[in-house]
């Protein structure tokens, strides 16, 4: 967290925009409506990939431009326990949850009970920082995590200069040139 502003300044000093920045916290699905996911998987009520995957979720009190509300309200009017969560529509279907349903996420050893208070559609075809689950602010800030930030290098230019500066000033930050992957 303490490096986000410095990275923003570095990116902007290179004449580049900081397009997005989001915190990420790693977690696993533990139970749905109080039933352990292993039991749900054995009964064929939940796909294996939903149980096996490691979720990288975020926290924020707003939707981004690739998200549309389908049901409920975001941000929630109140927080507490269970924690209100916004879930992407297809993920909610695979988990077998809808508005008002609860599930437990294991956040690196700490169980957090969540309640679906918002369902949203995500345009996955757009290259934005999109998530299956969005938690409200005030819940995950102290959990171990990391930040992801995006910028855009003008076509025909190299990201080498920015990567070199990042490696010098922030040696624990990884820079990935996605144009090489795309």
């Amino acid at each position: 967290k303490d490096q986000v502003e410095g990275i923003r300044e570095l990116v902007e000093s290179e004449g580049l925009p900081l397009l997005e920045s989001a915190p990420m916290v790693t977690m696993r699905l533990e139970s749905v409506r109080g039933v352990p996911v292993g039991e749900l998987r054995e009964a064929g009520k939940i796909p294996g990939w939903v149980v096996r995957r490691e979720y990288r979720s975020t926290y924020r009190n707003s939707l981004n431009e690739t998200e549309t509300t389908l049901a409920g309200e975001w941000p929630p009017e109140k927080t507490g326990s269970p924690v209100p969560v916004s879930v992407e529509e297809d993920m909610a279907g695979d988990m077998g949850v809808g508005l008002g349903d609860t599930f437990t996420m294991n956040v690196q050893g700490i169980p957090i009970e969540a309640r679906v208070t918002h369902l949203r559609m995500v345009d996955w075809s757009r290259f934005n920082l999109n998530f299956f689950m969005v938690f409200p602010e005030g819940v995950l800030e102290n959990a171990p995590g990391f930040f992801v930030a995006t910028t855009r290098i003008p076509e025909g230019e190299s990201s080498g200069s920015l990567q070199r500066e990042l490696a010098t000033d922030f040696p624990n930050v990884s820079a990935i040139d996605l144009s090489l992957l795309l």
Side-chain angles (χ1 to χ4, degrees), residues 41-120:
R41 182 176 173 219
E42 285 179 21
K45 296 183 178 182
I46 194 168
W49 75 269
V50 172
V51 175
R52 287 187 305 270
R53 83 168 285 124
E54 190 172 74
Y55 294 85
R56 288 177 177 82
S57 299
T58 194
Y59 51 89
R60 55 181 152 83
N61 285 342
S62 61
L63 298 179
N64 68 31
E65 61 187 34
T66 62
E67 300 171 318
T68 305
T69 294
L70 298 176
E73 292 185 27
W74 198 259
E77 286 187 25
K78 62 179 186 172
T79 59
S81 185
V83 174
V85 175
S86 176
V87 181
E88 186 269 340
E89 65 178 328
D90 293 329
M91 176 54 67
D94 285 344
M95 288 173 61
V97 298
L99 282 181
D101 286 333
T102 60
F103 59 91
T104 301
M105 297 303 291
N106 181 320
V107 181
Q108 302 166 45
I110 306 293
I112 294 184
E113 187 178 10
R115 180 177 311 282
V116 180
T117 59
H118 184 259
L119 293 170
R120 68 191 195 293

Side-chain angles (χ1 to χ4, degrees), residues 3 10 15-16 23 33 48 50 83 94 99 101 108 110 120 126 134 145 158 166 174-175 179:
Q3 294 177 308
L10 175 62
L16 302 170
R33 289 184 298 285
V50 172
V83 174
D94 285 344
L99 282 181
D101 286 333
Q108 302 166 45
I110 306 293
R120 68 191 195 293
R126 300 201 32 214
V134 177
S158 168
L166 280 169
S174 298
S179 66

Side-chain angles (χ1 to χ4, degrees), residues 127-148:
F127 194 71
N128 287 72
L129 298 176
N130 294 312
F131 300 88
F132 287 129
M133 297 177 204
V134 177
F135 288 74
E137 292 175 356
V139 176
L140 297 175
E141 283 84 345
N142 292 326
F146 57 95
F147 277 75
V148 174

